[in-house]
Amino acid sequence: MDLGIRDRVAVVTGGARGIGAETARVLAQEGVKLVVADLDLDAAGQVAQEIAAQGGRAIAARCDVADGNDVRRMVEAATEAFGGVDILVNNAGFNKDRYLTKMTETEWDSVVDVVLKGAFHCTRAVLPGMMERRWGRIVNISSRSVFGNPGQTNYSSAKLGLIGFTRALALEQARFGITANAVAPGFVETELMRANPNYDKLRDAALEKIPVGFLGMPGDIASSVAFVASERARYISGVTLFVTGGRFSS
């Protein structure tokens, strides 16, 4: 299926590894020009080089999405390289799990600032160009954790906030040909997840609750992102697509 986005320009934040890196690769396969944005410039550069080696076009950009000035410079670099940004995937995020009674203000702020404020900074930076061209796709990476996970009050709150952000943005920007949607992954087997010292326990517990009977992979999420970012999804906006193998609140 031709997704109708060849030669569009996409920024993927948190694009150096995991879901972000795979999203960049899948979009590149559709002929999209990529800006792989991440705090880890070397790792982002490796993803960009991999895309270029496969015949795609990509650059890497170091970016702290919680810093508005950093985001502005990243978008300027994207514009200089490719002429503008058509697709934004707000994927940057991480978790710092701790029960609320033991959670520090820094642990709360650091997660919320990257996940939620980061989406604010990045979206605000790319919208003027999208509005001018009257076409754009904003895809926010939420999570099944919006239903609540113990020890994740910071992460669950930020990811649920992204859904409200998505719905409001979809209403604001519809008249400019811009859609906003969220993709909410369930348990996905990433490098970061496998590095968790409790990975085996977490994997086994998740498998018992996933109706389809297997774990998600980064490509499962990336394919979903590519679809809602495409011309094929032009009539879809304000939606949260749960990519969880059928698992929801349990």
Side-chain angles (χ1 to χ4, degrees):
M1 178 187 291
D2 181 1
L3 295 182
I5 49 176
R6 178 168 297 278
D7 292 326
R8 294 290 187 183
V9 179
V11 168
V12 180
T13 68
R17 54 183 56 83
I19 291 171
E22 190 62 21
T23 295
R25 295 184 189 105
V26 169
L27 288 172
Q29 291 167 8
E30 293 295 326
V32 175
K33 303 167 191 174
L34 267 300
V35 179
V36 183
D38 202 283
L39 269 176
D40 187 341
L41 181 59
D42 289 340
Q46 291 174 8
V47 175
Q49 289 171 14
E50 178 188 335
I51 290 170
Q54 297 296 319
R57 295 184 63 187
I59 63 169
R62 185 195 179 280
C63 184
D64 176 0
V65 298
D67 183 330
N69 290 326
D70 230 26
V71 170
R72 177 180 51 79
R73 288 189 289 267
M74 180 269 291
V75 173
E76 287 174 353
T79 302
E80 182 177 349
F82 298 127
V85 177
D86 303 301
I87 299 166
L88 170 65
V89 182
N90 284 312
N91 170 70
F94 63 96
N95 59 293
K96 284 194 174 182
D97 297 353
R98 197 182 299 275
Y99 282 101
L100 187 63
T101 52
K102 297 180 179 179
M103 185 177 293
T104 67
E105 187 172 351
T106 298
E107 288 168 335
W108 174 276
D109 287 346
S110 61
V111 171
V112 174
D113 282 356
V114 170
V115 173
L116 197 51
K117 187 186 288 186
F120 161 75
H121 282 314
C122 292
T123 305
R124 189 174 63 166
V126 302
L127 276 179
M130 292 180 177
M131 293 165 71
E132 182 178 347
R133 292 185 296 276
R134 304 191 73 80
W135 196 97
R137 299 288 186 266
I138 308 294
V139 185
N140 299 312
I141 305 302
S142 183
S143 169
R144 192 202 63 82
S145 69
V146 300
F147 296 108
N149 284 329
Q152 289 193 329
T153 52
N154 49 2
Y155 188 75
S156 294
S157 296
K159 290 297 190 177
L160 183 57
L162 273 182
I163 291 178
F165 178 85
T166 298
R167 290 175 178 172
L169 187 65
L171 294 173
E172 287 184 14
Q173 297 301 318
R175 67 185 185 277
F176 298 106
I178 300 167
T179 67
N181 292 289
V183 172
F187 193 106
V188 177
E189 192 170 7
T190 63
E191 294 174 16
L192 184 62
M193 181 61 74
R194 287 193 295 269
N196 189 305
N198 297 314
Y199 171 72
D200 290 343
K201 181 179 178 181
L202 293 169
R203 177 200 59 205
D204 293 345
L207 278 170
E208 291 180 0
K209 298 177 180 178
I210 298 173
V212 298
F214 57 87
L215 301 179
M217 300 300 289
D220 296 312
I221 311 307
S223 297
S224 302
V225 172
F227 175 70
V228 296
S230 77
E231 186 63 25
R232 295 280 184 172
R234 65 177 191 166
Y235 200 52
I236 301 172
S237 196
V239 166
T240 301
L241 176 60
F242 285 92
V243 189
T244 64
R247 181 186 179 193
F248 289 91
S249 59
S250 65

